Amino acid sequence: MTQTIEYTRERADRFIRESKHLLRPDYRLNYHLMAEFGWMNDPNGFVQYNGEYHLFYQHYPYQPAWGPMHWGHAVSKDLIKWEYLPVALAPDTEFDSGGCFSGSAVSKDGKLFLMYTGHVVTGPDKDSDYKQSQGIAVSEDGVTFKKHPLNPVIGYDQIPEWVSQKDFRDPKVFERDGCYYVVIGSNDGAGNGLVLVYRSDDLMNWTFVGELARSEGRFGDNWECPDLFELGGKEVFMLSPQRMPAQGEQYRNLHSTMTVIGAFDGKTGRFDMEKHAQVDHGFDFYAPQSTLDEKGRRIVIGWMDMWETDMPTQNGHYWAGAMSLPREAVLHGDRILYRPVAEIENYRLNAYWETDIQLNGVRELPVGGDCYELEVVFEAEQAEQFGLKLRVGDGEETVLSYRPDDQLLRFNRDRSGIGPGGERRALTRLEDGKLGLRIFVDKSSVEVFVGDGEIVMTGRIYPGAASKGIHLFANGACRLVSLRKWDIK
Ligand code: FRU
């Protein structure tokens, strides 16, 4: 195995240690994970191991921009407060010389196994000249990882000839019926994303099983970050389709996230797609990955950003990218509900509440902030439109509004500060004439959970530090049934 000298874990750790003082705190989040320094994208290797949650992430420490991928690593007891561990993987071997791309983790015989994509640049145009294969790294202590000497364990020659010979990435491993399966994202080279399935007894020797599913012209031209899991007695296929065409108000970002409920056949590798849904209806959520924890919860976490959008912290702040709140996925009928993990409630401080207030016009709350949780229930009554304005100040506001006539909840960030604007809308039915929202604001993020978690909308915003106001508003009469607010520290 030839070593490339440029990138090593030690060099990355040293660079982070020596550069950390440069970070600008302005938009750093309080209760969401970011890279310790530099760039972060996809969550990787999400797993509970020896009782602790491990989360790895696509990481380029040297710039607040995507570059040859490393795996950053953080550990947590409660999914909210994270502690950084040394960089787990650097692109330092032949099969991953261009980057250690996304992948997953599984524990076996007390050891922690990572399976990830080795990316190799093969020509002058790094955007089109590349190849990808899958490798393994193993740790005995959950901190230091050794790459397997026989990597790749799924090589270029194991890619079926009818699919892309280049895009072959993001292995998600799971155990089932006494063996291991892995799902890997790809495309057919003709505009359709697809996913391949392989099987193994030992995580080292893999046999191709079949094609899980494919886009069929509807769901994007390349599929990234597949995941397959059981939920409430059903099977769920979660994926990140690239360049998926919008469907009405849905799938309006450049790249989307989607779940499909259906049935998986381990013999053929086939997944029968029954019902699909968007995972998050906001602006900034991509490449989610799930894990099953020791409490039996299926927890989903996503990258709280979007490719090819302007990220203001890339200029002069020395960091970019963050993770969403970890969300528990629960099956309800044929819908998946997402709820922030209960642990977040342990961080509530300074409770404030109001109940039963008639609204018509604007009402400014006597409390505000930039890191908080807000739980609010409106009763629509005669109002044409009602909602909330967050991070209000000096010409800035982030608006969440609802109109009973079109049943759309709107998240508008046109006046949210620096950074991209725009509006996302999600069809939301009132329950007994009421709309319940649970909102998490953290410095440069907003996550809105509707009702029981039927809809989630996530977006990054970059308001001025003094924009801390919270306003309620209604055009026409409506009732604020209840409002509760906590600072989250
Ligand atoms: C998704 C993705 C993955 C890839 C990784 C590279 O955001 O494009 O497909 O493994 O990012 O950083």
Side-chain angles (χ1 to χ4, degrees):
M1 211 180 331
T2 43
Q3 295 270 317
T4 50
I5 37 160
E6 217 188 346
Y7 294 116
T8 65
R9 287 178 301 179
E10 295 74 20
R11 186 185 153 203
D13 286 331
R14 196 177 335 114
F15 181 82
I16 293 168
R17 216 171 33 245
E18 290 168 0
S19 314
K20 260 186 346 195
H21 66 278
L22 293 169
L23 281 176
R24 272 182 64 177
D26 316 37
Y27 298 116
R28 293 285 281 180
L29 301 144
N30 230 341
Y31 54 96
H32 290 80
L33 182 68
M34 300 151 288
E36 194 171 8
F37 191 83
W39 169 266
M40 163 193 278
N41 59 285
D42 311 359
N44 293 156
F46 190 21
V47 72
Q48 194 172 13
Y49 173 68
N50 292 341
E52 292 192 311
Y53 295 96
H54 287 253
L55 186 62
F56 303 80
Y57 48 90
Q58 290 286 282
H59 183 33
Y60 186 61
Y62 301 101
Q63 301 278 335
W66 193 88
M69 283 289 114
H70 296 55
W71 275 37
H73 188 187
V75 71
S76 174
K77 291 192 171 45
D78 68 357
L79 293 160
I80 306 296
K81 283 289 172 236
W82 295 92
E83 189 189 313
Y84 294 110
L85 290 178
V87 165
L89 302 174
D92 57 3
T93 67
E94 203 171 287
F95 103 101
D96 62 16
S97 59
C100 302
F101 276 21
S102 283
S104 52
V106 63
S107 68
K108 174 177 180 280
D109 309 327
K111 298 179 189 156
L112 188 56
F113 286 71
L114 307 180
M115 189 168 189
Y116 69 99
T117 298
H119 179 82
V120 174
V121 177
T122 55
D125 180 358
K126 69 171 180 37
D127 293 332
S128 63
D129 303 332
Y130 59 83
K131 55 183 185 174
Q132 302 179 327
S133 61
Q134 323 309 321
I136 291 274
V138 188
S139 174
E140 311 251 344
D141 61 0
V143 181
T144 311
F145 291 84
K146 263 207 189 89
K147 294 182 186 174
H148 199 275
L150 296 180
N151 281 341
V153 296
I154 306 182
Y156 313 111
D157 57 345
Q158 280 168 277
I159 306 177
E161 72 274 9
W162 70 88
V163 313
S164 162
Q165 300 296 301
K166 287 185 353 192
D167 296 305
F168 180 50
R169 58 179 178 270
D170 312 338
K172 178 71 163 51
V173 186
F174 57 95
E175 243 182 292
R176 196 193 168 99
D177 302 331
C179 62
Y180 295 99
Y181 285 85
V182 67
V183 283
I184 301 176
S186 184
N187 63 73
D188 67 357
N192 290 296
L194 59 82
V195 162
L196 303 168
V197 186
Y198 295 74
R199 184 171 36 221
S200 170
D201 291 324
D202 57 5
L203 294 172
M204 295 299 153
N205 297 287
W206 292 91
T207 316
F208 177 64
V209 180
E211 196 180 295
L212 185 86
R214 136 181 343 222
S215 165
E216 312 286 11
R218 297 163 62 200
F219 303 119
D221 61 16
N222 185 52
W223 283 0
E224 298 189 312
C225 303
D227 196 343
L228 187 63
F229 52 86
E230 287 172 336
L231 192 70
K234 288 270 194 178
E235 266 145 338
V236 177
F237 168 38
M238 183 166 74
L239 65 154
S240 294
Q242 291 193 287
R243 292 165 288 273
M244 176 169 169
Q247 300 181 4
E249 295 297 344
Q250 302 209 78
Y251 307 107
R252 301 205 71 94
N253 296 325
L254 178 59
H255 309 306
S256 295
T257 56
M258 176 168 114
T259 51
V260 191
I261 296 177
F264 174 60
D265 179 343
K267 288 201 184 60
T268 60
R270 217 44 230 160
F271 188 88
D272 278 327
M273 310 218 278
E274 286 163 19
K275 188 174 183 239
H276 72 89
Q278 195 170 0
V279 180
D280 188 291
H281 299 253
F283 303 92
D284 297 297
F285 187 83
Y286 193 64
Q289 187 173 94
S290 81
T291 195
L292 184 69
D293 79 352
E294 286 160 10
K295 294 184 177 139
R297 300 181 294 181
R298 178 59 60 176
I299 301 168
V300 173
I301 192 163
W303 179 41
M304 195 164 53
D305 282 287
M306 182 51 61
W307 291 114
E308 285 147 81
T309 59
D310 177 31
M311 302 176 195
T313 62
Q314 289 189 293
N315 302 314
H317 292 248
Y318 296 95
W319 71 281
M323 291 300 160
S324 72
L325 274 181
R327 301 164 183 182
E328 184 179 351
V330 178
L331 190 72
H332 184 77
D334 62 357
R335 291 190 76 161
I336 301 173
L337 312 181
Y338 300 93
R339 299 166 183 158
V341 292
E343 287 89 333
I344 189 68
E345 292 165 27
N346 299 331
Y347 293 85
R348 289 170 167 176
L349 276 178
N350 307 329
Y352 170 85
W353 68 93
E354 293 189 355
T355 48
D356 202 13
I357 286 171
Q358 252 348 97
L359 275 179
N360 198 342
V362 180
R363 178 189 173 90
E364 184 176 345
L365 292 192
V367 290
D370 58 8
C371 291
Y372 58 84
E373 175 187 349
L374 207 56
E375 225 179 60
V376 47
V377 180
F378 293 97
E379 187 165 353
E381 295 187 341
Q382 286 81 45
E384 233 170 77
Q385 179 171 230
F386 57 89
L388 293 137
K389 296 182 178 182
L390 312 170
R391 303 300 307 269
V392 182
D394 200 16
E396 292 179 343
E397 59 184 23
T398 297
V399 186
L400 301 175
S401 59
Y402 185 79
R403 286 193 7 203
D405 63 349
D406 59 15
Q407 300 186 313
L408 293 176
L409 177 67
R410 294 169 164 77
F411 176 170
N412 187 301
R413 62 175 185 186
D414 283 335
R415 305 212 303 160
S416 292
I418 57 172
E423 183 169 276
R424 289 288 174 275
R425 294 177 278 265
L427 187 66
T428 304
R429 298 218 157 74
L430 298 177
E431 291 259 343
D432 287 336
K434 298 196 186 83
L435 176 72
L437 304 175
R438 216 173 145 195
I439 302 159
F440 291 84
V441 170
D442 189 2
K443 292 300 262 297
S444 54
S445 71
V446 178
E447 287 160 285
V448 184
F449 295 81
V450 182
D452 256 346
E454 288 91 350
I455 298 279
V456 190
M457 300 179 91
T458 299
R460 300 298 298 279
I461 54 164
Y462 300 88
S467 297
K468 290 187 172 170
I470 303 174
H471 295 180
L472 304 169
F473 70 91
N475 304 336
C478 94
R479 189 165 75 96
L480 175 71
V481 179
S482 63
L483 175 145
R484 299 200 288 167
K485 172 184 176 282
W486 298 269
D487 292 322
I488 305 250
K489 279 277 144 24

